[in-house]
Amino acid sequence: MSWHNRRQVLNVQLRRYYRGGPERPLSCKIVPYPALKNAKPALKRAAAESLQNSYKVSIRRSCRLRAKLPVPSRVSWNMDFIHDSLSNGRKFRVLTVVDQFSRECPVLGVDSSLSGEKVVKYLEMLNETRGLPKVITVDNGSEFTSKALDAWAYKNGVQLEYIRPGKPVENAFIESFNGRLRDECLNANMFFSLEEASSKLETWRQDYNNFRPHTSIDGVPPAEYAAKHRKDFKIAKKLNLAVV
């Protein structure tokens, strides 16, 4: 097969699954396709250079193509609490959880008090609906250092990553989210009961996840961004590509 035909085969195989073209970068390591498997090294390098120019990926000496892929299955969550009060002065707490990869908020747990056992209850609910991350970043509050949460994390193979005391910047994702939640929901509403607070917070969470564009994830809502990359990850697995 001539070089021109082999290049066409290679490009067609790529575009079959990555229809976005050059503006949509490849997101995984790609082993040379069968059309180039037995080709001479110089031909493989020429194919790699052609793909580099078309798809803007970097080249390794092994002629494998490599680009960053933030894989949805390798997620890390951030978890924290935020406080507010009802109209009668009764205080309540909100458990906030943010996915570092997609910026999604999986849950907002509302209660008058949130112990380690109640945190575990919310995490078990998330385990049933969407699975668990490998790492959860938390501060050194008593709820997160409790035996209940520690035992749950050990049982489920989740690593609890504690920030240094007095260093909230190390949990920056959740701190930024909490600020937005307070400005846009807690400070903008008056709550007369825990049920009303829970309902309004859930409405805000759905709007944040599904309709609110996020500048750090290509200007799309978190749920849309996560769904797009889950699809890309499934395609990579279907093609038997090695994910970085």
Side-chain angles (χ1 to χ4, degrees), residues 1-18 26 30-37 43-52 55 63 65:
M1 183 183 295
S2 68
W3 155 241
H4 176 76
N5 291 336
R6 294 187 185 193
R7 185 179 64 179
Q8 291 300 318
V9 169
L10 195 60
N11 284 339
V12 167
Q13 286 176 321
L14 285 171
R15 291 193 179 108
R16 186 178 301 166
Y17 294 99
Y18 294 92
L26 294 177
I30 297 179
V31 178
Y33 282 85
L36 294 173
K37 184 176 180 180
L43 188 58
K44 291 182 181 180
R45 285 196 297 272
E49 289 170 3
S50 173
L51 292 173
Q52 181 189 32
Y55 291 92
C63 286
L65 309 181

Side-chain angles (χ1 to χ4, degrees), residues 161-202:
E161 190 173 88
Y162 295 94
I163 65 173
R164 291 177 294 173
K167 299 289 184 179
V169 69
E170 294 181 1
N171 210 0
F173 288 104
I174 201 71
E175 293 295 335
S176 174
F177 176 83
N178 286 350
R180 177 175 292 187
L181 174 62
R182 182 169 295 283
D183 291 340
E184 297 180 4
C185 186
L186 297 179
N187 290 348
N189 291 280
M190 181 175 289
F191 308 110
F192 295 93
S193 66
L194 286 177
E195 292 75 16
E196 182 184 4
S198 181
S199 176
K200 288 184 177 180
L201 283 165
E202 178 61 20

Side-chain angles (χ1 to χ4, degrees), residues 73-87:
S73 65
R74 298 178 183 174
V75 293
S76 177
W77 290 356
N78 296 72
M79 193 161 58
D80 198 10
F81 293 107
I82 190 170
H83 304 258
D84 204 8
S85 58
L86 303 176
S87 59

